[in-house]
Structures are given as structure tokens and as C-alpha cells.
């Protein structure tokens, strides 16, 4: 019995597809993926604490804050405002979930956003 080799991805097609996507859309998509992953690691999804991991959440929230800080002048406020709101919500959720909350200005991403109080 011979096995059929798995299909190789068509990298030329994939490259053409990504070339057609505007940079703002790529940035927003990455930001939403970081937000979603952070929400899971903060235990904010239907699974609750099953995947909760504050160390991982800290990394994701910090990466999101860095991305938004670096891209603020590249994406319009139409795109940036809801992403910043989501980031702040995640930062507040992190502070609430922490047994020993960070000092204001020391929480995840706060070196990019400034202190979050909550």
C-alpha cells in the first residue's frame, strides 16, 4: 500500500495573497490575535481558569502594548482606539487576577501605555 505524500503548500500563492493585504489589516489582525490569546491566558473565556497562566498573559499583553505603541502613527485612530480600549481592559483584568498586583507603571505593557489604575 503506497501512501500519497502530503500536498506541499503553494508558497507562491501564499506570498501573493499576503502581498494583497494592506499593512493596517495585518497589524490589526496580529493585535486581535494577541488580545484573544491574552484573554485566554487571563481566564476570561468560557473555559475560565483551565488555561489561565498569568506569566504567559503578561508576555502577550506587553507584546500587544508594544505593537500598538509602535504602530500608533501608522494606523488610524479608527483602528487604534478600540485596540487601545481592549488593551486597557486586559491590563485591568491582569491587575485584578494578580494575587499581588504590580505597582502602577510596572504592570504588563505599562512601560508603553503609562500607569493603569484600577
Amino acid at each position: 500500500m503506497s501512501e500519497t505524500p502530503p500536498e506541499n503548500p503553494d508558497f507562491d500563492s501564499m506570498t501573493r495573497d499576503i502581498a494583497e493585504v494592506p499593512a493596517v489589516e495585518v497589524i490589526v489582525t496580529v493585535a486581535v490575535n494577541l488580545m484573544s490569546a491574552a484573554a485566554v491566558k487571563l481566564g476570561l473565556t468560557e473555559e475560565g481558569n483551565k488555561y489561565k497562566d498569568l506569566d504567559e498573559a503578561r508576555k502577550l499583553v506587553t507584546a500587544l502594548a508594544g505593537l500598538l505603541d509602535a504602530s500608533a502613527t501608522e494606523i488610524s485612530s479608527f483602528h487604534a482606539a478600540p485596540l487601545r480600549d481592549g488593551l486597557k481592559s486586559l491590563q485591568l483584568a491582569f491587575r485584578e487576577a494578580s494575587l499581588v498586583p504590580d505597582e502602577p507603571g510596572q504592570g504588563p505593557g505599562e512601560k508603553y501605555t503609562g500607569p493603569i489604575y484600577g
Side-chain angles (χ1 to χ4, degrees), residues 10-104:
D10 182 358
F11 291 112
D12 290 336
S13 174
M14 289 169 54
T15 300
R16 277 193 302 277
D17 290 346
I18 197 71
E20 296 170 7
V21 179
V24 169
E25 190 173 328
V26 173
I27 293 167
V28 170
T29 300
V30 170
V32 169
N33 285 333
L34 287 168
M35 291 173 94
S36 298
V40 169
K41 296 298 184 177
L42 285 167
L44 301 176
T45 61
E46 290 179 8
E47 293 87 7
N49 291 337
K50 182 176 180 181
Y51 300 108
K52 189 173 182 177
D53 184 333
L54 294 183
D55 184 52
E56 291 289 300
R58 177 183 295 276
K59 293 170 188 169
L60 292 163
V61 172
T62 299
L64 174 62
L67 173 63
L68 295 181
D69 183 57
S71 63
T73 59
E74 304 300 326
I75 62 176
S76 67
S77 60
F78 173 80
H79 295 292
L83 294 174
R84 282 194 300 267
D85 290 345
L87 170 60
K88 184 175 182 180
S89 294
L90 290 169
Q91 289 172 311
L92 289 170
F94 184 93
R95 182 171 297 283
E96 187 175 303
S98 298
L99 295 176
V100 180
D102 296 312
E103 291 294 320

